[in-house]
Amino acid sequence: MAAESYLSRGVSPTKDDVKKAVANQDKGAFPGAFCKLIEDIAGDPDYATALHADGAGTKSSVAYLMYKETGNYDWFKGLAQDSLVMNTDDLACVGCYENLSLSNTIGRNAHLVDGKAIAKVIEGYDEAIAKLSDAGVGIKMCGGETADVGDLVRTLIVDSTIVARIKKTDVINAANIKPGHVIVGLASSGQASYEDAYNSGISSNGLTAARHMLLSKYYADNYKESYSDTVPYDKVYCGKFRLTDNLPGTDVSVGAAILSPTRTFLPILVPVLKQYRESISGIIHCTGGGQAKCRDFGKNIRIVKDNLFELPPIFKAIYESGEIPMKEMFQVFNCGHRIEFYCDESVAQGIIDIAKSFNVDAQVVGHVEALPEGSENEVIVKYNGEEFLYN
């Protein structure tokens, strides 16, 4: 399942080598769950503990470019939400969203990223936590670490770690995804009722590919610190856009679209879980691995996605760059929906209605079929008359 346009820029969408490296590690209290859960750190046999880490990835490089081009430090703020949501919404996929404790790690090149930028990142954390509190999700900020690692980091890295406890009876284990269940997808783009502006849907995955396929050679020649010199020059910033250009099909700039803060689906996930938890066999966050990520969960199943959302404008622009085939698009990017519920068909409309009450589009995007015992899972994506197999 190689994605050559991504691998050529030093990134693996499926991280097969990483999976091999951890293959012999303990699988935790719920093998096959979307997030690893361990026995409770407090020693309660009725609880499990989740310890989860993730970050904003190379999106920080675009924030740096926007700051350099505009002089506005506010572009760094969204990185905090990116880093936070990549953790919170992963955890929600196992049913865990209460009493979250957060620590953050910021690694920077202090020659290029000053204290004002760091202050904006911290401000971004405070604002994101306050918004999630309004949605009934409690997060305690427990401090963190800002490391000056200019020898290793060209600009800035923003990472987060969250620890939480969950009743074992409340865990949703994606290992149990059932044949016969339908898949309800929640749109990644648009403007949710709890968002302040249009969201392109890019989230925090595939940003290395996105920025090099969209942005022009101007950035390669003027901001050499924004990319690795291990990437061949012909693969660096190959697009046609400047950051301030309008993204076709929208009213926002390309830079603003790329830096759309990663949408949290927690305001939707919380009421869905409270109402329909027993009818949901799995929840997948379509992050690293895109629409093929679900292949790693469940057993002896074929996941068919034959009613996907139309590609949002930012993904259309990436595809139209000519740098990436459609099969790889679905492997690298969420391409329109980022959370998917595997559920009884009888509750699908109820989940869709909850999402739409927050002005987030939702629809049944596919279904699950059984394969013979001992089969490797596979994913089939059908889009615009084409069919792509991931196995």
Side-chain angles (χ1 to χ4, degrees), residues 3 104 108 113 176 180 189 295 347 350:
N104 72 293
R108 67 166 176 168
V113 178
N176 300 323
S189 66
R295 182 191 62 142
V347 305

Side-chain angles (χ1 to χ4, degrees), residues 323-390:
E323 281 277 314
I324 183 170
M326 187 60 74
K327 183 174 183 179
E328 289 187 23
M329 284 290 299
F330 287 115
Q331 189 179 351
V332 173
F333 302 103
N334 70 71
C335 290
H337 82 265
R338 220 181 71 235
I339 285 285
E340 51 190 32
F341 295 95
Y342 292 73
C343 62
D344 291 333
E345 188 172 8
S346 62
V347 305
Q349 189 58 51
I351 295 173
I352 291 169
D353 291 342
I354 290 173
K356 290 188 174 182
S357 74
F358 291 94
N359 201 36
V360 172
D361 201 6
Q363 64 191 42
V364 173
V365 297
H367 63 276
V368 185
E369 299 176 354
L371 290 176
E373 186 71 27
S375 298
E376 294 290 331
N377 290 350
E378 60 184 40
V379 178
I380 295 176
V381 172
K382 299 179 181 181
Y383 186 77
N384 277 356
E386 294 186 276
E387 182 174 311
F388 309 109
L389 172 65
Y390 306 88

Side-chain angles (χ1 to χ4, degrees), residues 27-41:
K27 300 298 187 288
F30 289 86
F34 188 81
C35 299
K36 184 174 179 177
L37 296 163
I38 60 175
E39 293 299 331
D40 185 38
I41 56 174

